[in-house]
Amino acid sequence: MRIPPRTGRTGRHLQTGRRIGIGRRIRHWIGGGIAGAAALLLFVSGSASAAIPIGQPMTGEATYYNDVGYGACGTQIDASTQYLVAVSYQWWTSANPNNDPLCQGISVQVTYNGHTITVPVADKCPTCDATHIDLSQPAFTEYAPTGTGVITGITWQFVSSGGTPPPPPPLGAPTGVHITATTGSSVSLSWTGVSGASSYVVRRGATQVGTTSGTSFTDTGLTAGTTYSYTVAAATSSGALGTASPTVTATTAGDGGGPANGCPTAWSSSTSYVPGDVVSYNGHKYTSTYYSTSAVPSDPSSWAVWTDNGPC
């Protein structure tokens, strides 16, 4: 007679005094659904018979999760900060998953766009097919922002643990991201750098529009009178992306020429200005009151040359 399992505080099942994780209840993806409770009960009550194909490459997809609690291997996990993976229920062979061969030093090596990491198997995904893996959140962001939801076309394989060590925690998000200038066909932005970053990836909406080793970027070829949104993420020398910044927006000029309702064109030390010229500098709008070249708008000695019109 099967005794109904009890549910722990993290929503995972407990049986005969031992913690037995049942894997992910919710997988994060865009456009996907969430499996119902009946499907979960079906997966818990069944068992798989597949052997572990060590070293056999497979092509599939990856989602991510960020549970905190006990994984299917019976160990405490934090999928929001640790590097680990939940694999399909189809690979689990033991009635008690705590004793499954997958929990005996097996990892998954993941490769996508030339970047490879190795993460330990710590949990079961009850709604994944055999080639679908559920990465922890920091492991997923090695390849794409969490907003991507699903990464398709990854290559992965089971390996014995002890290979590539888990990467360090992901880089933090750039701070102070703001628009410095707009025209009818371009948007310029800048931000504060992140320690440990080798470059920065700029996205317009969900589309990557450029990379830079500095802390500023100009997006060109835009449509006049259109609003665009941007995020910036730091990247390591190996290409691992950190957390994306909060979104900032800008609207290009309606006539395809001068500045829009953001900051005007940035001041340049090589440009000669005449009275009435308008520029931006360090997030402020300035109006020229005298003829000048290389007079820094915010410099106290430039009080007779530039008038500070406030933040822009």
Side-chain angles (χ1 to χ4, degrees):
M1 179 178 188
R2 186 173 182 274
I3 300 174
R6 295 181 291 116
T7 301
R9 64 182 177 85
T10 64
R12 299 186 183 278
H13 287 244
L14 307 179
Q15 180 177 330
T16 62
R18 298 193 64 187
R19 293 180 172 89
I20 303 176
I22 63 167
R24 291 290 300 123
R25 288 183 178 270
I26 300 175
R27 286 181 286 121
H28 297 258
W29 55 0
I30 302 300
I34 299 175
L40 289 176
L41 292 175
L42 173 62
F43 292 135
V44 170
S45 62
S47 62
S49 59
I52 303 174
I54 299 293
Q56 177 181 313
M58 289 172 271
T59 300
E61 63 182 12
T63 48
Y64 80 92
Y65 74 115
N66 50 20
D67 281 8
V68 177
Y70 284 86
C73 289
T75 57
Q76 194 158 14
I77 64 171
D78 183 349
S80 66
T81 61
Q82 297 173 333
Y83 280 75
L84 50 88
V85 64
V87 298
S88 170
Y89 68 96
Q90 298 181 39
W91 298 111
W92 297 76
T93 59
S94 299
N96 182 346
N98 295 171
N99 300 325
D100 198 272
L102 285 168
C103 299
Q104 311 304 313
I106 299 298
S107 294
V108 167
Q109 186 181 81
V110 187
T111 300
Y112 182 70
N113 280 348
H115 180 48
T116 299
I117 63 172
T118 301
V119 287
V121 175
D123 212 348
K124 178 192 296 187
C125 178
T127 58
C128 295
D129 62 33
T131 60
H132 181 161
I133 58 175
D134 210 11
L135 293 167
S136 62
Q137 184 169 323
F140 185 92
T141 56
E142 288 281 328
Y143 300 106
T146 55
T148 305
V150 181
I151 305 172
T152 58
I154 64 164
T155 300
W156 66 275
Q157 60 184 303
F158 289 111
V159 296
S160 297
S161 297
T164 305
L171 298 173
T175 58
V177 180
H178 64 284
I179 305 301
T180 57
T182 58
T183 69
S185 61
S186 69
V187 170
S188 298
L189 58 159
S190 66
W191 55 89
T192 301
V194 175
S195 177
S198 294
S199 61
Y200 298 88
V201 173
V202 180
R203 283 187 170 85
R204 183 200 318 130
T207 303
Q208 180 175 322
V209 293
T211 60
T212 177
S213 58
T215 55
S216 62
F217 181 81
T218 298
D219 185 21
T220 60
L222 305 179
T223 302
T226 304
T227 299
Y228 297 95
S229 61
Y230 295 89
T231 58
V232 181
T236 65
S237 57
S238 65
L241 290 178
T243 304
S245 71
T247 299
V248 295
T249 61
T251 301
T252 52
D255 59 4
N261 58 355
C263 287
T265 302
W267 172 82
S268 172
S269 61
S270 61
T271 299
S272 295
Y273 295 99
V274 300
D277 284 346
V278 178
V279 300
S280 65
Y281 186 77
N282 283 349
H284 277 234
K285 176 182 176 182
Y286 291 87
T287 300
S288 174
T289 57
Y290 199 75
Y291 299 89
S292 68
T293 302
S294 74
V296 180
S298 63
D299 193 307
S301 64
S302 299
W303 65 270
V305 179
W306 294 102
T307 298
D308 187 347
N309 303 129
C312 59

